[in-house]
Amino acid sequence: MQRTIFNTPIVTPILRQIARLLLKLHGWRVVCDQKALKLKKYVLLGAPHTSNWDGYYFILTALKLKLTPQWMGKDKLFKFPLGATMRWFGGIAVDRSKANNLVQATVDHFNESKSLIVAVPPEGTRGRKERWKTGFYYIARGAQVPVVCGFINFPRKEVGLGPVLEMGENLAAELARFRDFYADKIGKFPERYTPPA
């Protein structure tokens, strides 16, 4: 298993205490569906994704909740000198310029793992687009794992894990469920938010 900020002996317990303190000092509240904490494998959505601050609060929350997520990021983030640091923060480099089969590779990784949380920002970027990318849906379906609705809500200063959703066969119906859940979740820059569909 790759050592990350979320599972490094001695260091991680100290970071968990610091994360609790920082969340308290910032005035943020962590909200969590307890069912999600019992799962060993799932796709964790991170939305709305409108600011680099989202990652900061996500990391603090993951530390506080004792999660060990990995996340996908553009490969440019993993070049020297930041590559090792990005991987220590749980990053998996993705070359978005190639039509490689990231979905199948992630499904295979789930099938080979006893425990795996893959965090995905379904918007794909911090800028506004037409709709969410749907790779997370196909990963969850292919690996037969649920999707957990990770969220951030800046006006309420809340961050956490929402409902656990099993993905059905109808993509449009699933996107409608996400649209309903995220309807009242507001990012730091609401004008940059990309709705599910």
Side-chain angles (χ1 to χ4, degrees), residues 97-166:
S97 68
K98 294 183 179 174
N100 54 10
N101 198 338
L102 179 63
V103 169
Q104 188 58 50
T106 307
V107 168
D108 292 344
H109 197 51
F110 266 111
N111 291 336
E112 295 163 2
S113 302
K114 291 181 181 176
S115 176
L116 180 63
I117 301 167
V118 175
V120 178
E123 296 162 84
T125 182
R126 293 178 311 274
R128 185 169 173 80
K129 298 291 182 192
E130 185 179 330
R131 66 184 178 279
W132 280 9
K133 296 182 178 292
T134 55
F136 74 90
Y137 168 81
Y138 294 104
I139 292 168
R141 293 272 304 159
Q144 298 179 353
V145 297
V147 172
V148 174
C149 297
F151 69 91
I152 191 163
N153 193 342
F154 271 83
R156 295 182 58 128
K157 289 191 168 185
E158 289 182 342
V159 60
L161 306 179
V164 175
L165 303 175
E166 298 290 340

Side-chain angles (χ1 to χ4, degrees), residues 11 26 56 66 90 95 122 153 170 184 186:
V11 175
H26 291 312
Y56 171 73
K66 298 182 180 180
D95 183 352
N153 193 342
N170 186 328
D184 65 347
I186 301 170

Side-chain angles (χ1 to χ4, degrees), residues 63-115:
L63 284 165
K64 180 176 179 174
L65 295 176
K66 298 182 180 180
L67 303 179
T68 57
Q70 293 186 286
W71 53 275
M72 297 179 279
K74 56 186 170 186
D75 59 348
K76 292 176 186 174
L77 294 172
F78 293 84
K79 301 222 185 285
F80 183 82
L82 297 176
T85 301
M86 292 294 128
R87 282 186 284 283
W88 191 65
F89 275 90
I92 302 167
V94 175
D95 183 352
R96 296 194 296 190
S97 68
K98 294 183 179 174
N100 54 10
N101 198 338
L102 179 63
V103 169
Q104 188 58 50
T106 307
V107 168
D108 292 344
H109 197 51
F110 266 111
N111 291 336
E112 295 163 2
S113 302
K114 291 181 181 176
S115 176

